[in-house]
Amino acid sequence: MKDKFNPESLKSLVADFKDFPQPGVIFRDISPLLANPAAFTAATQAMASNFQESSITRVAGIESRGFLFGPAVASILGVGFSPIRKAGKLPGDTMAESYGLEYGRDTLEIQANAITTKDRVLLADDVLATGGTLAAAARLVTSTGAVVAGATVLIELDFLNGREQLGALDVAAVVHY
């Protein structure tokens, strides 16, 4: 499967929708890639590949599409998975991190016992755009006492310079726009 798919062939399975959700935006739809089992496997293997020697102990996926890729990446790395959700979606004690959006604020939460101070966590999501959500997730994981060892995404929108918000965090992206 690895030989059949490379970043360009995976990119060809991402559909573009112009002016969605608003004029001037090109929405990168990963549905065609998700519909192709071999492509999905190749994508998750590529997302995990940069971190196989990083002593990762946990993958944390960011709601909602990080839930699609995170468990598969965790399985490849042989580690557990923890969801990072929007506020009010998790039972029990949670920890929260609020962050700014273009029009307002949002909050991410993780269950208080989902990650320990001994964990080295890899963040997983579908897209790195402006970096705000990944930066908030990194702060949230750090607030648990765990180490954020890196972040992996399927797509990076390079022109939005999202890496600038992530400082020295090791970020890997499979497909670039």
Side-chain angles (χ1 to χ4, degrees):
M1 280 184 234
K2 221 173 196 179
D3 296 331
K4 184 177 178 183
F5 292 99
N6 59 47
E8 285 306 309
S9 61
L10 292 172
K11 191 175 189 177
S12 74
L13 292 172
V14 176
D16 293 344
F17 287 88
K18 293 181 181 173
D19 297 321
F20 182 83
Q22 61 189 25
V25 173
I26 299 173
F27 183 82
R28 309 293 183 183
D29 182 19
I30 61 172
S31 296
L33 186 145
L34 295 174
N36 182 319
F40 178 75
T41 298
T44 55
Q45 288 174 340
M47 290 173 72
S49 67
N50 289 330
F51 298 96
Q52 290 184 322
E53 305 298 322
S54 297
S55 302
I56 301 296
T57 61
R58 172 97 36 207
V59 173
I62 303 166
E63 186 169 350
S64 68
R65 290 180 294 261
F67 295 174
L68 301 173
F69 294 101
V73 170
S75 179
I76 292 165
L77 295 176
V79 301
F81 174 79
S82 295
I84 295 177
R85 302 224 41 202
K86 296 196 175 166
K89 302 286 186 179
L90 291 169
D93 292 335
T94 60
M95 299 178 74
E97 178 69 31
S98 292
Y99 62 105
L101 298 168
E102 187 175 349
Y103 299 105
R105 296 191 63 73
D106 207 348
T107 301
L108 295 175
E109 291 183 340
I110 192 166
Q111 288 176 309
N113 61 354
I115 295 174
T116 73
T117 58
K118 295 178 184 176
D119 280 318
R120 290 181 45 81
V121 178
L122 177 63
L123 300 172
D125 208 357
D126 64 329
V127 176
L128 169 56
T130 63
T133 303
L134 266 175
R139 289 191 306 272
L140 179 59
V141 169
T142 300
S143 75
T144 70
V147 172
V148 178
T152 188
V153 297
L154 175 65
I155 297 170
E156 182 172 358
L157 304 176
D158 298 325
F159 63 94
L160 293 176
N161 301 313
R163 283 182 190 245
E164 291 178 8
Q165 285 210 42
L166 303 174
L169 185 64
D170 184 8
V171 179
V174 178
V175 173
H176 293 266
Y177 287 93

Short mmCIF file of all heavy atoms in Angstrom, two decimals, residues 37-88:
data_model
loop_
_atom_site.label_atom_id
_atom_site.label_comp_id
_atom_site.label_asym_id
_atom_site.label_seq_id
_atom_site.Cartn_x
_atom_site.Cartn_y
_atom_site.Cartn_z
N PRO A 37 -10.23 2.49 1.51
CA PRO A 37 -9.53 1.87 2.64
C PRO A 37 -8.01 1.86 2.49
O PRO A 37 -7.29 2.11 3.46
CB PRO A 37 -10.08 0.44 2.68
CG PRO A 37 -11.34 0.47 1.91
CD PRO A 37 -11.22 1.58 0.91
N ALA A 38 -7.52 1.59 1.29
CA ALA A 38 -6.06 1.56 1.09
C ALA A 38 -5.46 2.95 1.25
O ALA A 38 -4.38 3.11 1.83
CB ALA A 38 -5.73 0.98 -0.28
N ALA A 39 -6.15 3.96 0.75
CA ALA A 39 -5.66 5.33 0.89
C ALA A 39 -5.68 5.77 2.35
O ALA A 39 -4.75 6.41 2.83
CB ALA A 39 -6.49 6.28 0.04
N PHE A 40 -6.76 5.42 3.07
CA PHE A 40 -6.84 5.77 4.48
C PHE A 40 -5.70 5.11 5.26
O PHE A 40 -5.04 5.75 6.08
CB PHE A 40 -8.19 5.37 5.07
CG PHE A 40 -8.31 5.66 6.54
CD1 PHE A 40 -8.50 6.97 6.99
CD2 PHE A 40 -8.20 4.65 7.48
CE1 PHE A 40 -8.58 7.25 8.35
CE2 PHE A 40 -8.30 4.92 8.84
CZ PHE A 40 -8.48 6.22 9.26
N THR A 41 -5.44 3.85 4.97
CA THR A 41 -4.34 3.15 5.64
C THR A 41 -3.01 3.82 5.32
O THR A 41 -2.20 4.05 6.22
CB THR A 41 -4.32 1.66 5.22
OG1 THR A 41 -5.54 1.06 5.64
CG2 THR A 41 -3.15 0.93 5.83
N ALA A 42 -2.79 4.15 4.06
CA ALA A 42 -1.54 4.82 3.68
C ALA A 42 -1.42 6.18 4.36
O ALA A 42 -0.33 6.56 4.81
CB ALA A 42 -1.48 4.98 2.17
N ALA A 43 -2.53 6.91 4.44
CA ALA A 43 -2.50 8.23 5.09
C ALA A 43 -2.15 8.12 6.56
O ALA A 43 -1.31 8.88 7.07
CB ALA A 43 -3.85 8.92 4.90
N THR A 44 -2.77 7.18 7.26
CA THR A 44 -2.49 7.05 8.69
C THR A 44 -1.08 6.51 8.93
O THR A 44 -0.42 6.92 9.89
CB THR A 44 -3.54 6.19 9.41
OG1 THR A 44 -3.64 4.92 8.77
CG2 THR A 44 -4.89 6.88 9.41
N GLN A 45 -0.60 5.64 8.06
CA GLN A 45 0.78 5.18 8.18
C GLN A 45 1.75 6.35 7.99
O GLN A 45 2.73 6.48 8.72
CB GLN A 45 1.08 4.06 7.19
CG GLN A 45 0.42 2.76 7.57
CD GLN A 45 0.58 1.68 6.51
OE1 GLN A 45 0.85 1.94 5.35
NE2 GLN A 45 0.37 0.44 6.93
N ALA A 46 1.46 7.20 7.02
CA ALA A 46 2.30 8.38 6.79
C ALA A 46 2.23 9.33 7.99
O ALA A 46 3.26 9.90 8.40
CB ALA A 46 1.87 9.10 5.52
N MET A 47 1.05 9.49 8.56
CA MET A 47 0.91 10.37 9.72
C MET A 47 1.69 9.85 10.93
O MET A 47 2.23 10.63 11.72
CB MET A 47 -0.57 10.55 10.08
CG MET A 47 -1.34 11.38 9.06
SD MET A 47 -3.12 11.42 9.39
CE MET A 47 -3.17 12.48 10.85
N ALA A 48 1.78 8.54 11.07
CA ALA A 48 2.50 7.93 12.20
C ALA A 48 4.00 7.85 11.96
O ALA A 48 4.79 7.83 12.92
CB ALA A 48 1.94 6.54 12.48
N SER A 49 4.42 7.80 10.70
CA SER A 49 5.80 7.45 10.37
C SER A 49 6.85 8.36 11.00
O SER A 49 7.91 7.88 11.39
CB SER A 49 5.99 7.41 8.85
OG SER A 49 5.86 8.71 8.29
N ASN A 50 6.60 9.64 11.10
CA ASN A 50 7.60 10.55 11.67
C ASN A 50 7.75 10.41 13.17
O ASN A 50 8.66 11.01 13.75
CB ASN A 50 7.24 12.00 11.34
CG ASN A 50 7.45 12.31 9.89
OD1 ASN A 50 8.30 11.73 9.23
ND2 ASN A 50 6.65 13.22 9.36
N PHE A 51 6.88 9.65 13.81
CA PHE A 51 6.89 9.58 15.27
C PHE A 51 7.11 8.16 15.80
O PHE A 51 6.97 7.93 17.00
CB PHE A 51 5.59 10.18 15.81
CG PHE A 51 5.45 11.62 15.45
CD1 PHE A 51 4.72 12.01 14.34
CD2 PHE A 51 6.12 12.59 16.18
CE1 PHE A 51 4.62 13.35 13.98
CE2 PHE A 51 6.03 13.94 15.83
CZ PHE A 51 5.28 14.31 14.73
N GLN A 52 7.51 7.23 14.94
CA GLN A 52 7.68 5.86 15.38
C GLN A 52 8.88 5.68 16.31
O GLN A 52 8.92 4.73 17.07
CB GLN A 52 7.74 4.92 14.18
CG GLN A 52 6.38 4.83 13.52
CD GLN A 52 6.30 3.86 12.38
OE1 GLN A 52 7.22 3.73 11.60
NE2 GLN A 52 5.18 3.18 12.29
N GLU A 53 9.82 6.60 16.28
CA GLU A 53 10.99 6.53 17.16
C GLU A 53 10.95 7.61 18.24
O GLU A 53 11.98 7.95 18.80
CB GLU A 53 12.27 6.67 16.32
CG GLU A 53 12.40 5.68 15.18
CD GLU A 53 12.44 4.23 15.65
OE1 GLU A 53 13.07 3.96 16.70
OE2 GLU A 53 11.84 3.37 14.97
N SER A 54 9.77 8.13 18.54
CA SER A 54 9.65 9.28 19.46
C SER A 54 9.18 8.92 20.86
O SER A 54 8.85 9.81 21.63
CB SER A 54 8.68 10.31 18.86
OG SER A 54 9.18 10.81 17.65
N SER A 55 9.10 7.67 21.20
CA SER A 55 8.65 7.23 22.53
C SER A 55 7.28 7.78 22.89
O SER A 55 7.02 8.15 24.03
CB SER A 55 9.68 7.63 23.61
OG SER A 55 10.93 7.08 23.33
N ILE A 56 6.40 7.85 21.91
CA ILE A 56 5.03 8.29 22.13
C ILE A 56 4.34 7.25 23.02
O ILE A 56 4.49 6.05 22.81
CB ILE A 56 4.26 8.41 20.79
CG1 ILE A 56 4.94 9.39 19.84
CG2 ILE A 56 2.79 8.75 21.01
CD1 ILE A 56 4.99 10.81 20.31
N THR A 57 3.57 7.72 24.01
CA THR A 57 2.81 6.80 24.86
C THR A 57 1.31 6.96 24.69
O THR A 57 0.54 6.14 25.18
CB THR A 57 3.16 7.01 26.35
OG1 THR A 57 2.81 8.35 26.72
CG2 THR A 57 4.64 6.76 26.61
N ARG A 58 0.87 8.02 24.00
CA ARG A 58 -0.56 8.29 23.86
C ARG A 58 -0.75 9.20 22.65
O ARG A 58 0.07 10.08 22.40
CB ARG A 58 -1.07 8.99 25.11
CG ARG A 58 -2.46 9.52 25.07
CD ARG A 58 -3.52 8.66 25.65
NE ARG A 58 -3.13 7.90 26.82
CZ ARG A 58 -3.72 6.75 27.17
NH1 ARG A 58 -4.68 6.26 26.42
NH2 ARG A 58 -3.35 6.10 28.24
N VAL A 59 -1.83 8.97 21.92
CA VAL A 59 -2.25 9.89 20.86
C VAL A 59 -3.52 10.56 21.34
O VAL A 59 -4.43 9.90 21.86
CB VAL A 59 -2.50 9.15 19.52
CG1 VAL A 59 -3.11 10.09 18.49
CG2 VAL A 59 -1.21 8.55 18.99
N ALA A 60 -3.60 11.88 21.18
CA ALA A 60 -4.80 12.64 21.52
C ALA A 60 -5.34 13.24 20.23
O ALA A 60 -4.65 14.01 19.56
CB ALA A 60 -4.48 13.73 22.54
N GLY A 61 -6.57 12.87 19.89
CA GLY A 61 -7.21 13.36 18.68
C GLY A 61 -8.17 14.48 18.99
O GLY A 61 -8.89 14.44 20.00
N ILE A 62 -8.16 15.49 18.13
CA ILE A 62 -8.96 16.69 18.35
C ILE A 62 -10.28 16.56 17.59
O ILE A 62 -10.31 16.24 16.40
CB ILE A 62 -8.18 17.93 17.89
CG1 ILE A 62 -6.84 18.01 18.65
CG2 ILE A 62 -9.00 19.20 18.10
CD1 ILE A 62 -5.86 18.99 18.05
N GLU A 63 -11.37 16.85 18.31
CA GLU A 63 -12.72 16.77 17.73
C GLU A 63 -12.83 17.62 16.47
O GLU A 63 -12.35 18.74 16.45
CB GLU A 63 -13.75 17.24 18.76
CG GLU A 63 -15.16 17.06 18.31
CD GLU A 63 -16.18 17.29 19.43
OE1 GLU A 63 -15.83 17.41 20.60
OE2 GLU A 63 -17.36 17.32 19.10
N SER A 64 -13.42 17.13 15.45
CA SER A 64 -13.98 15.80 15.35
C SER A 64 -13.17 14.92 14.41
O SER A 64 -13.12 13.70 14.57
CB SER A 64 -15.44 15.86 14.89
OG SER A 64 -15.54 16.31 13.55
N ARG A 65 -12.56 15.50 13.40
CA ARG A 65 -11.86 14.65 12.44
C ARG A 65 -10.57 14.06 12.98
O ARG A 65 -10.06 13.07 12.45
CB ARG A 65 -11.68 15.38 11.12
CG ARG A 65 -13.03 15.54 10.40
CD ARG A 65 -12.90 16.26 9.09
NE ARG A 65 -12.48 17.63 9.24
CZ ARG A 65 -13.29 18.68 9.21
NH1 ARG A 65 -14.57 18.51 9.03
NH2 ARG A 65 -12.82 19.89 9.37
N GLY A 66 -10.06 14.61 14.06
CA GLY A 66 -8.93 13.96 14.74
C GLY A 66 -9.33 12.62 15.33
O GLY A 66 -8.49 11.77 15.60
N PHE A 67 -10.66 12.43 15.51
CA PHE A 67 -11.16 11.14 15.98
C PHE A 67 -11.10 10.09 14.88
O PHE A 67 -11.11 8.89 15.15
CB PHE A 67 -12.61 11.24 16.44
CG PHE A 67 -12.84 12.12 17.64
CD1 PHE A 67 -14.13 12.38 18.05
CD2 PHE A 67 -11.81 12.70 18.35
CE1 PHE A 67 -14.38 13.18 19.15
CE2 PHE A 67 -12.04 13.52 19.44
CZ PHE A 67 -13.34 13.75 19.85
N LEU A 68 -11.06 10.51 13.63
CA LEU A 68 -10.95 9.57 12.52
C LEU A 68 -9.52 9.05 12.37
O LEU A 68 -9.30 7.86 12.15
CB LEU A 68 -11.39 10.23 11.21
CG LEU A 68 -12.81 10.76 11.16
CD1 LEU A 68 -13.03 11.54 9.87
CD2 LEU A 68 -13.81 9.63 11.28
N PHE A 69 -8.56 9.96 12.49
CA PHE A 69 -7.17 9.61 12.26
C PHE A 69 -6.44 9.18 13.53
O PHE A 69 -5.58 8.30 13.49
CB PHE A 69 -6.43 10.79 11.61
CG PHE A 69 -6.93 11.08 10.23
CD1 PHE A 69 -7.81 12.13 10.01
CD2 PHE A 69 -6.56 10.30 9.16
CE1 PHE A 69 -8.29 12.40 8.73
CE2 PHE A 69 -7.03 10.56 7.88
CZ PHE A 69 -7.90 11.61 7.67
N GLY A 70 -6.76 9.79 14.65
CA GLY A 70 -6.05 9.53 15.90
C GLY A 70 -6.02 8.08 16.33
O GLY A 70 -4.94 7.54 16.63
N PRO A 71 -7.17 7.39 16.39
CA PRO A 71 -7.13 5.99 16.81
C PRO A 71 -6.31 5.10 15.87
O PRO A 71 -5.62 4.18 16.32
CB PRO A 71 -8.60 5.57 16.83
CG PRO A 71 -9.34 6.85 17.05
CD PRO A 71 -8.55 7.88 16.29
N ALA A 72 -6.37 5.37 14.57
CA ALA A 72 -5.58 4.58 13.62
C ALA A 72 -4.09 4.83 13.82
O ALA A 72 -3.28 3.90 13.80
CB ALA A 72 -6.00 4.90 12.19
N VAL A 73 -3.71 6.10 14.02
CA VAL A 73 -2.30 6.42 14.28
C VAL A 73 -1.86 5.78 15.59
O VAL A 73 -0.77 5.20 15.67
CB VAL A 73 -2.09 7.96 14.29
CG1 VAL A 73 -0.70 8.32 14.81
CG2 VAL A 73 -2.31 8.53 12.89
N ALA A 74 -2.71 5.84 16.61
CA ALA A 74 -2.39 5.21 17.90
C ALA A 74 -2.18 3.71 17.73
O ALA A 74 -1.24 3.13 18.31
CB ALA A 74 -3.50 5.49 18.92
N SER A 75 -3.02 3.07 16.94
CA SER A 75 -2.88 1.64 16.70
C SER A 75 -1.55 1.31 16.02
O SER A 75 -0.87 0.36 16.40
CB SER A 75 -4.07 1.14 15.85
OG SER A 75 -3.93 -0.24 15.60
N ILE A 76 -1.19 2.09 15.03
CA ILE A 76 0.09 1.89 14.33
C ILE A 76 1.26 2.04 15.30
O ILE A 76 2.22 1.27 15.25
CB ILE A 76 0.22 2.86 13.14
CG1 ILE A 76 -0.80 2.50 12.06
CG2 ILE A 76 1.65 2.87 12.58
CD1 ILE A 76 -1.00 3.58 11.01
N LEU A 77 1.16 3.03 16.19
CA LEU A 77 2.24 3.28 17.15
C LEU A 77 2.18 2.34 18.36
O LEU A 77 3.11 2.32 19.17
CB LEU A 77 2.20 4.74 17.62
CG LEU A 77 2.48 5.79 16.54
CD1 LEU A 77 2.31 7.20 17.11
CD2 LEU A 77 3.86 5.61 15.93
N GLY A 78 1.08 1.60 18.48
CA GLY A 78 0.94 0.67 19.59
C GLY A 78 0.70 1.34 20.93
O GLY A 78 1.17 0.88 21.97
N VAL A 79 -0.05 2.44 20.90
CA VAL A 79 -0.34 3.20 22.12
C VAL A 79 -1.83 3.47 22.23
O VAL A 79 -2.58 3.21 21.29
CB VAL A 79 0.45 4.54 22.16
CG1 VAL A 79 1.96 4.28 22.08
CG2 VAL A 79 0.02 5.48 21.04
N GLY A 80 -2.27 4.01 23.34
CA GLY A 80 -3.67 4.33 23.55
C GLY A 80 -4.05 5.66 22.92
O GLY A 80 -3.21 6.44 22.50
N PHE A 81 -5.36 5.89 22.91
CA PHE A 81 -5.93 7.10 22.32
C PHE A 81 -6.78 7.82 23.35
O PHE A 81 -7.51 7.18 24.11
CB PHE A 81 -6.82 6.73 21.12
CG PHE A 81 -7.56 7.90 20.55
CD1 PHE A 81 -6.94 8.81 19.72
CD2 PHE A 81 -8.90 8.11 20.88
CE1 PHE A 81 -7.63 9.90 19.20
CE2 PHE A 81 -9.60 9.19 20.37
CZ PHE A 81 -8.96 10.08 19.53
N SER A 82 -6.70 9.14 23.37
CA SER A 82 -7.56 9.97 24.22
C SER A 82 -8.20 11.07 23.37
O SER A 82 -7.50 11.74 22.61
CB SER A 82 -6.75 10.62 25.34
OG SER A 82 -6.24 9.65 26.21
N PRO A 83 -9.51 11.26 23.50
CA PRO A 83 -10.17 12.32 22.74
C PRO A 83 -10.06 13.68 23.42
O PRO A 83 -10.15 13.78 24.65
CB PRO A 83 -11.63 11.87 22.68
CG PRO A 83 -11.81 11.04 23.92
CD PRO A 83 -10.48 10.40 24.19
N ILE A 84 -9.85 14.70 22.62
CA ILE A 84 -9.95 16.09 23.06
C ILE A 84 -11.22 16.62 22.40
O ILE A 84 -11.33 16.63 21.18
CB ILE A 84 -8.72 16.91 22.65
CG1 ILE A 84 -7.48 16.39 23.37
CG2 ILE A 84 -8.95 18.39 22.93
CD1 ILE A 84 -6.19 17.09 22.97
N ARG A 85 -12.18 17.04 23.25
CA ARG A 85 -13.50 17.38 22.74
C ARG A 85 -13.84 18.84 23.00
O ARG A 85 -13.19 19.51 23.80
CB ARG A 85 -14.56 16.51 23.43
CG ARG A 85 -14.28 15.04 23.19
CD ARG A 85 -15.42 14.18 22.83
NE ARG A 85 -16.38 14.73 21.91
CZ ARG A 85 -17.62 14.29 21.82
NH1 ARG A 85 -18.07 13.36 22.64
NH2 ARG A 85 -18.45 14.79 20.93
N LYS A 86 -14.90 19.28 22.38
CA LYS A 86 -15.44 20.61 22.67
C LYS A 86 -16.10 20.56 24.04
O LYS A 86 -16.48 19.50 24.53
CB LYS A 86 -16.42 21.02 21.58
CG LYS A 86 -15.68 21.16 20.26
CD LYS A 86 -16.43 21.92 19.23
CE LYS A 86 -15.48 22.07 18.04
NZ LYS A 86 -16.11 22.48 16.85
N ALA A 87 -16.23 21.72 24.65
CA ALA A 87 -16.74 21.82 26.02
C ALA A 87 -18.09 21.14 26.19
O ALA A 87 -18.97 21.22 25.32
CB ALA A 87 -16.84 23.29 26.42
N GLY A 88 -18.25 20.44 27.32
CA GLY A 88 -19.52 19.85 27.69
C GLY A 88 -19.81 18.50 27.06
O GLY A 88 -20.91 17.98 27.22
#
